[in-house]
Amino acid sequence: MSGTIFLQNLFNGLTLGGLYALIAIGYTMVYGILRLINFAHGDVLMIGAYLAFYGVTLMSMPWYISVVVAILGSAGLGFLIDRVAYKPLRESPRISALITAIGMSFFLESFAVVVFGGIPKSFLSITPRFLKKVVVVFGARIQVLTFFALATTVALLALLLWIVYKTKIGMAMRAIATDIPTTALMGANIDNIIGFTFALGSALAGAGGIIWAMRYPQINPYMGFMPGLKAFIAAVFGGIGSIQGAMLGGFILGMMEIMIVGFFPQLAGYRDVFAFVILILILMFKPTGIMGKKLTVKV
Amino acid sequence: MSREELMLEVEDLHVYYGAIHALKGISLKVPKGAIITLIGANGAGKTTTLTTIAGLVKARSGRIKFMGEDITNKPPHTVTQMGIAMVPEGRRIFPNLTVYENLMMGAYTRKDREGIQEDLEWVFQLFPRLKERLTQLGGTLSGGEQQMLAISRALMSRPKLLMMDEPSLGLAPLLVMEVFDVIKKINGEGTTILLVEQNAMGALKTAHYGYVLETGKIVLEGPTDELLQNEEVKKAYLGVA
Ligand SMILES: Nc1ncnc2c1ncn2[C@@H]1O[C@H](COP(=O)(O)OP(=O)(O)OP(=O)(O)O)[C@@H](O)[C@H]1O
Ligand SMILES: [Mg+2]
């Protein structure tokens, strides 16, 4: 692999990793509080991309407004999913919520097929022209979109860390991750904090979905499946429940995917397999993930 | 005792955990400004009484009134916002939050920055040791320090009624005395207290009035100086024949 190709791969790996990280955070935050794997999370990403698409094509909004509206819409969707599907099951056995999560995922996909249609739509018309330009960096040809995606991702991750570690609601989110009843005793409304957590994770997933759609410029009702699954693996890899773990796991997974194919082009067809190999290895040798601690027993 | 003087009134409270009948018709009164204690053996239902008042456990029947308002089965955040705080059994410090953040969780419902600052100074006065440990994670404090933090955290909501579940448990004798002293001090500043204790001697010496709980029922009640002289109490709870 030449230096320029390596540089190209490096940027692609970082961008893909960043996307996994953005999506993984929603899984890890919800799991940290409810011990629930929100299978519908990948589909929020898909709805986010469609919202951005229709914002521009149907409502003729400028792309940046449409993107912001779509991210807010994703947040609202996440909040709604919790209220409608999971909140009524808080006192039920965990398996009920898990099955409901799978059902919610099927519902969102079917809903998208019916309302948006099953035929993939090109996202190229949504992506502003300047992002499609190519610049040459040390001989490597890199799309402006790559820098834009990376910068946006890093900014969003920083914003998330700020919310979680520097704000009052973030403090409450960290508190309920270890002790729900005691957080309630502090006068905090548990359902609102959980709802906020869903909204926050879903906003990031929506943003991730839009960037994903810009990079692989088409959208379809099942587009959330693979990135959702990979991001989930990234969350497990990083140590599910840990936000920094999800970020690290996302970047490592994305980078590995790109680099392995970069170094061994003959393996390109197996690209999607790596993530699952990692999942199996981590479950075998370090089920708590690289940054995960043993989960405290919930009372 | 006239009604207006009552801070908390519990009437014929029944609580079940599945088939287990944990509280079998508890009634008790907490007058404004008093220290009331609830003593009893393991499994008597002391914690259940407090968690039901706090809204964490649902009552099957009966009534809980706070400042004249019915709060039976209200959600815990509502109960806290009305002015009841709890030092839970086992302290329940947030281990992954700093000492300062634990205190701020206590003040979660408040918006008066100056008042919060005042109360911070107040709890530092009660427990100077906390001030030196503000940036330490709650989970790394010693048991005694965690108990101080749990009490301080509850005080940070500036409660009208403070419920404490075995605040002396697991503390060295000297610290036990300190905790009972602090309880008196807090009460002296105007906070009404409902104290649950295994340490019957300490509790009865600290409180004004006491209830004795046995397997979900109140079997005895009275002013604490009388309970301290009561033969049954002496035998069963004070370890003197
Ligand atoms: N979550 C629960 N599920 C089932 N039973 C419970 C639960 N919590 C308490 N109990 C039962 O209810 C009864 C009263 O328990 P509670 O914790 O109120 O007692 P306690 O007086 O606080 O005891 P201790 O002094 O040991 O703390 C006990 O028989 C206990 O086993
Ligand atoms: Mg108890």
Side-chain angles (χ1 to χ4, degrees):
Chain A
M1 193 164 31
S2 72
T4 53
I5 304 263
F6 178 79
L7 203 61
Q8 224 154 342
N9 280 333
L10 186 72
F11 273 103
N12 283 336
L14 280 175
T15 312
L16 183 66
L19 286 176
Y20 288 157
L22 273 184
I23 305 162
I25 283 165
Y27 283 111
T28 226
M29 289 198 306
V30 165
Y31 188 87
I33 295 171
L34 298 178
R35 302 289 182 266
L36 165 75
I37 297 163
N38 178 17
F39 284 109
H41 190 59
D43 302 300
V44 171
L45 165 173
M46 173 268 297
I47 300 278
Y50 272 100
L51 287 177
F53 177 81
Y54 284 117
V56 172
T57 55
L58 276 188
M59 323 279 279
S60 357
M61 294 186 226
W63 72 276
Y64 47 89
I65 301 223
S66 181
V67 163
V68 170
V69 170
I71 290 174
L72 293 178
S74 307
L77 176 65
F79 182 84
L80 206 65
I81 289 174
D82 173 55
R83 278 292 145 106
V84 173
Y86 304 141
K87 184 173 168 248
L89 297 172
R90 290 262 209 271
E91 310 293 323
S92 315
R94 217 160 282 159
I95 188 77
S96 314
L98 207 63
I99 293 167
T100 305
I102 296 170
M104 181 48 83
S105 171
F106 286 154
F107 167 76
L108 289 175
E109 286 168 12
S110 311
F111 173 87
V113 170
V114 171
V115 176
F116 309 140
I119 301 163
K121 292 185 163 46
S122 167
F123 211 73
L124 272 178
S125 56
I126 312 307
T127 316
R129 195 161 300 144
F130 78 93
L131 289 181
K132 294 177 205 159
K133 287 210 180 99
V134 171
V135 290
V136 179
V137 185
F138 298 115
R141 295 171 53 78
I142 295 168
Q143 244 194 341
V144 174
L145 174 62
T146 303
F147 296 112
F148 175 79
L150 200 54
T152 310
T153 304
V154 170
L156 287 175
L157 294 179
L159 178 66
L160 176 91
L161 287 176
W162 180 78
I163 291 175
V164 171
Y165 287 96
K166 296 286 176 214
T167 68
K168 191 166 159 179
I169 183 98
M171 179 171 79
M173 285 167 63
R174 283 180 287 134
I176 67 175
T178 54
D179 195 335
I180 294 178
T182 305
T183 308
L185 276 182
M186 302 295 114
N189 184 330
I190 295 303
D191 288 320
N192 289 354
I193 297 168
I194 294 175
F196 180 80
T197 306
F198 270 89
L200 198 56
S202 302
L204 295 183
I210 294 164
I211 298 173
W212 189 278
M214 285 179 173
R215 280 177 59 86
Y216 307 89
Q218 54 163 297
I219 57 178
N220 72 71
Y222 301 102
M223 64 175 278
F225 180 74
M226 219 11 126
L229 203 55
K230 299 264 186 70
F232 171 68
I233 292 172
V236 174
F237 183 42
I240 193 141
S242 155
I243 290 175
Q244 290 91 334
M247 292 183 180
L248 194 64
F251 277 108
I252 292 178
L253 190 66
M255 192 61 89
M256 269 169 60
E257 254 188 54
I258 299 284
M259 284 300 174
I260 289 178
V261 175
F263 279 104
F264 309 102
Q266 65 275 23
L267 292 180
Y270 295 100
R271 189 177 144 171
D272 287 338
V273 177
F274 303 137
F276 298 99
V277 172
I278 287 180
L279 179 65
I280 292 167
L281 289 179
I282 200 94
L283 289 180
M284 274 166 63
F285 296 109
K286 197 163 187 311
T288 51
I290 39 182
M291 307 221 5
K293 292 178 222 97
K294 256 222 175 88
L295 289 171
T296 44
V297 180
K298 303 275 279 194
V299 191
Chain B
M1 221 178 316
S2 82
R3 282 206 159 258
E4 296 84 82
E5 290 177 62
L6 277 186
M7 177 143 281
L8 182 82
E9 189 175 11
V10 175
E11 264 177 74
D12 197 26
L13 195 65
H14 285 263
V15 175
Y16 289 76
Y17 293 106
I20 300 170
H21 196 173
L23 295 188
K24 304 165 185 164
I26 301 263
S27 298
L28 57 85
K29 292 188 167 99
V30 180
K32 209 175 260 181
I35 304 179
I36 303 296
T37 187
L38 197 58
I39 59 174
N42 290 115
K46 306 182 294 294
T47 298
T48 305
T49 306
L50 295 196
T51 47
T52 309
I53 294 169
L56 288 172
V57 174
K58 295 276 166 265
R60 176 77 58 91
S61 65
R63 226 154 48 121
I64 304 166
K65 273 169 89 177
F66 177 65
M67 314 266 293
E69 237 182 284
D70 192 336
I71 59 162
T72 322
N73 292 343
K74 284 245 161 68
H77 64 266
T78 309
V79 174
T80 304
Q81 282 162 15
M82 289 178 72
I84 300 183
M86 177 142 106
V87 179
E89 184 170 42
R91 300 158 192 145
R92 305 293 279 266
I93 291 306
F94 298 111
N96 56 335
L97 266 55
T98 64
V99 168
Y100 180 75
E101 287 175 330
N102 268 280
L103 292 170
M104 286 303 118
M105 281 304 294
Y108 196 80
T109 57
R110 296 175 60 178
K111 301 215 158 45
D112 55 323
R113 278 170 180 278
E114 279 154 44
I116 293 173
Q117 202 54 43
E118 263 171 42
D119 286 352
L120 259 185
E121 293 304 325
W122 178 41
V123 300
F124 291 156
Q125 227 175 309
L126 289 175
F127 303 110
R129 235 193 293 178
L130 287 182
K131 195 170 181 174
E132 303 154 17
R133 290 179 159 67
L134 281 181
T135 56
Q136 199 173 324
L137 288 184
T140 64
L141 293 183
S142 79
E145 290 162 353
Q146 287 193 357
Q147 193 58 266
M148 297 174 196
L149 179 55
I151 296 170
S152 305
R153 184 180 64 181
L155 289 175
M156 285 308 292
S157 69
R158 198 178 277 186
K160 298 188 180 80
L161 173 67
L162 177 62
M163 303 197 292
M164 307 174 97
D165 198 343
E166 308 207 24
S168 78
L169 190 76
L171 301 184
L174 216 68
L175 209 53
V176 171
M177 281 175 30
E178 202 185 312
V179 164
F180 283 120
D181 279 346
V182 164
I183 292 172
K184 280 189 197 151
K185 233 194 240 172
I186 294 168
N187 178 248
E189 309 244 355
T191 309
T192 306
I193 291 175
L194 177 55
L195 173 67
V196 158
E197 264 298 339
Q198 290 271 349
N199 182 340
M201 183 65 92
L204 290 175
K205 281 188 172 160
T206 308
H208 307 116
Y209 195 90
Y211 293 86
V212 180
L213 204 55
E214 248 171 49
T215 55
K217 279 197 189 116
I218 285 169
V219 292
L220 197 63
E221 62 171 279
T224 45
D225 42 2
E226 280 174 28
L227 290 178
L228 279 166
Q229 299 308 318
N230 184 293
E231 288 306 318
E232 309 239 333
V233 173
K234 274 190 188 171
K235 227 168 45 198
Y237 299 104
L238 301 178
V240 283

